[in-house]
């Protein structure tokens, strides 16, 4: 009887072996309307993802579906997808703003080049072992005679078509954001901007030295302005909540990782 009793006591006092974590990763790809300082991505990563999912925002301002790849940012994203140790890796892809005409070095042809770029991203995400999610471009908040001018709808339609053809989960952020902005009106939507209407661009305070004894290199300064494309904190929080809601509906598997 003594041996079983000793084994039982030993089992009760032995430290519990930690279970291996089953962590996931969410990677954000896109332009300034997803990126830090101007997009919904920072609020999404900060407030809508649990600690069991790494949230990596690789969106960059001024990029299109073509220039993002051409400059090498896509290779960095692929490297993140190939990092071992994650149970699941989802990649949210939102382009359109800088694919529009009139942006030298960035514009893509809506009928051919833009959808081909998106399809290639989807294929390469899957080849890297990750899971793509396409996002239609966030609406601009420009009104004319009380009606929202959703100039990004043709690009949103192209994203929807690629998502259907590739059988990829779709977040129709353009449709939902346009409906919400139209419903609230121009005055309310202007609160989503980085600065109030009529504000001067923000910069360092007058007389602020570029360097100090401790800081030998000047820190980056945010380039803020009032416009009806980019987002301040209030706008980022609002649309990050919208993205989270759409993501929970489109990809139910992600729900345990998302916070309302």
């Amino acid at each position: 009887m003594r041996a079983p009793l000793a084994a039982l006591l030993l089992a009760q006092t032995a430290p519990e072996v930690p279970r291996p974590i089953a962590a996931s990763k969410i990677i954000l790809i896109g332009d300034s309307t997803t990126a830090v300082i101007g997009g919904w991505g920072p609020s999404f990563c900060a407030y809508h993802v649990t600690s069991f999912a790494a949230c990596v925002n690789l969106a960059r301002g001024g990029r299109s579906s073509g220039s993002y790849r051409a400059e090498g940012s896509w290779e960095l994203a692929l490297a993140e997808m190939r990092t071992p140790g994650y149970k699941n890796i989802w990649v949210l892809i939102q382009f359109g703003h800088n694919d529009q005409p009139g942006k030298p070095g960035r514009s893509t042809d809506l009928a051919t080049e833009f959808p081909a770029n998106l399809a290639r991203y989807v294929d390469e995400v899957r080849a890297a072992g990750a899971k793509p999610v396409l996002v239609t471009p966030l609406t601009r908040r420009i009104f004319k005679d009380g009606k929202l001018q959703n100039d990004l709808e043709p690009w949103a339609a192209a994203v929807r078509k690629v998502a259907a053809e590739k059988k990829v989960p779709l977040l129709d952020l353009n449709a939902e954001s346009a409906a919400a902005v139209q419903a609230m009106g121009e005055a309310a939507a202007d609160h989503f901007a980085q600065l109030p209407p009529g504000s001067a661009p923000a910069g360092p305070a007058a007389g602020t030295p570029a360097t100090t004894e401790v800081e030998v290199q000047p820190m980056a300064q945010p380039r803020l302005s009032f416009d009806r494309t980019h987002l301040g904190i209030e706008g980022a929080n609002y649309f990050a909540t919208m993205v989270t809601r759409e993501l929970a509906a489109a990809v139910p598997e992600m729900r345990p990782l998302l916070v309302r």
Side-chain angles (χ1 to χ4, degrees):
M1 295 294 292
R2 291 183 178 180
L5 179 60
L8 178 61
L9 292 173
L10 181 62
Q12 291 176 340
T13 57
E16 183 179 352
V17 178
R19 290 183 297 176
I21 187 172
S24 296
K25 181 187 286 187
I26 302 170
I27 302 172
L28 307 183
I29 305 297
D31 55 37
S32 58
T33 60
T34 303
V36 297
I37 311 177
W40 54 263
S43 291
F44 174 79
C45 289
Y47 305 121
H48 295 282
V49 176
T50 74
S51 61
F52 289 91
C55 191
V56 183
N57 191 347
L58 296 182
R60 304 191 196 285
R63 273 59 179 183
S64 69
S65 66
S67 65
Y68 189 87
R69 177 187 295 277
E71 72 181 6
S73 285
W74 182 242
E75 284 300 319
L76 296 177
L78 287 172
E80 283 287 345
M81 296 175 218
R82 295 173 182 137
T83 303
Y86 291 95
K87 179 182 178 182
N88 289 298
I89 299 177
W90 286 277
V91 184
L92 276 61
I93 303 169
Q94 181 204 286
F95 286 109
H97 289 79
N98 297 300
D99 288 86
Q100 291 183 306
K103 300 179 183 294
R106 296 176 289 171
S107 299
T108 62
D109 182 77
L110 175 59
T112 58
E113 193 176 3
F114 180 62
N117 288 344
L118 294 181
R120 186 178 173 189
Y121 282 135
V122 167
D123 291 342
E124 292 181 3
V125 168
R126 286 171 167 164
K131 302 177 180 182
V133 179
L134 290 179
V135 185
T136 58
L138 178 72
T139 187
R140 291 189 174 92
R141 305 178 303 281
I142 299 171
F143 284 77
K144 183 178 180 180
D145 299 327
K147 182 175 176 59
L148 179 70
Q149 304 298 294
N150 186 10
D151 65 335
L152 284 156
E153 166 54 31
W155 281 262
V159 177
R160 295 183 197 111
K161 184 177 180 181
V162 173
E165 291 172 349
K166 291 288 187 179
K167 296 180 171 54
V168 179
L170 173 74
L171 306 189
D172 201 346
L173 182 59
N174 182 267
E176 187 169 353
S177 63
V181 170
Q182 177 65 62
M184 70 179 66
E186 183 174 9
D190 278 352
H191 289 289
F192 290 162
Q194 293 174 324
L195 296 174
S199 297
T208 302
T211 61
T212 66
E213 291 182 5
V214 176
E215 184 183 14
V216 296
Q217 293 292 332
M219 294 184 70
Q221 295 290 339
R223 297 174 59 186
L224 305 181
S225 63
F226 174 78
D227 62 57
R228 294 184 169 94
T229 296
H230 300 99
L231 305 172
I233 293 175
E234 184 177 345
N237 289 342
Y238 182 90
F239 291 113
T241 300
M242 182 178 289
V243 168
T244 304
R245 182 172 62 247
E246 287 198 3
L247 195 54
V251 191
E253 185 183 6
M254 295 184 70
R255 286 186 177 185
L257 301 174
L258 300 175
V259 180
R260 290 185 181 182

